[in-house]
Amino acid sequence: GPRVRIASGRALLSAGRFSTLNDVPAARIADFLAGDPTNRDGVTVAAKDLDGDLFADLATGVGGGGSRVTTYRGTALAAGTTPAMFFTIDPFGTFAGGVFVG
């Protein structure tokens, strides 16, 4: 599915060499379904400051079955919540092969 999990690399590294998100819950920044939650083709992700506020924002593209790109503001990403979409675009219209945003 389109699950996106974002972790703090700093928190994971400070917890130890083989730490995972299960070991260090405080490292979890975000965990949500991106775009269409019924999509079963996964998502591609990229981080980029899209709105000029000096915080990394998130862009997600469907793994297959379309070409929609959904973006989220970095300031809206918080553990335990589904962030509001910033904007969506569909650059290729009826193209059904997926889109790579990285």
Side-chain angles (χ1 to χ4, degrees), residues 14-54:
S14 67
R17 182 174 174 186
F18 298 106
S19 297
T20 68
L21 276 177
N22 293 332
D23 302 329
V24 190
R28 185 168 305 199
I29 295 172
D31 186 353
F32 64 98
L33 297 175
D36 179 1
T38 64
N39 170 27
R40 294 297 173 246
D41 294 321
V43 292
T44 58
V45 296
K48 175 76 175 160
D49 182 4
L50 300 172
D51 57 6
D53 66 356
L54 302 180

Side-chain angles (χ1 to χ4, degrees), residues 29-30 32 72 95 100:
I29 295 172
F32 64 98
Y72 303 88
F95 177 71
F100 180 73

Side-chain angles (χ1 to χ4, degrees), residues 1-93:
R3 178 159 309 277
V4 173
R5 288 186 174 154
I6 302 171
S8 165
R10 179 179 295 176
L12 288 174
L13 286 173
S14 67
R17 182 174 174 186
F18 298 106
S19 297
T20 68
L21 276 177
N22 293 332
D23 302 329
V24 190
R28 185 168 305 199
I29 295 172
D31 186 353
F32 64 98
L33 297 175
D36 179 1
T38 64
N39 170 27
R40 294 297 173 246
D41 294 321
V43 292
T44 58
V45 296
K48 175 76 175 160
D49 182 4
L50 300 172
D51 57 6
D53 66 356
L54 302 180
F55 289 96
D57 302 306
L58 187 70
T60 64
V62 293
S67 63
R68 177 159 292 193
V69 174
T70 304
T71 63
Y72 303 88
R73 286 189 172 167
T75 55
L77 300 172
T81 65
T82 298
M85 291 181 210
F86 179 35
F87 66 86
T88 62
I89 58 172
D90 197 347
F92 305 115

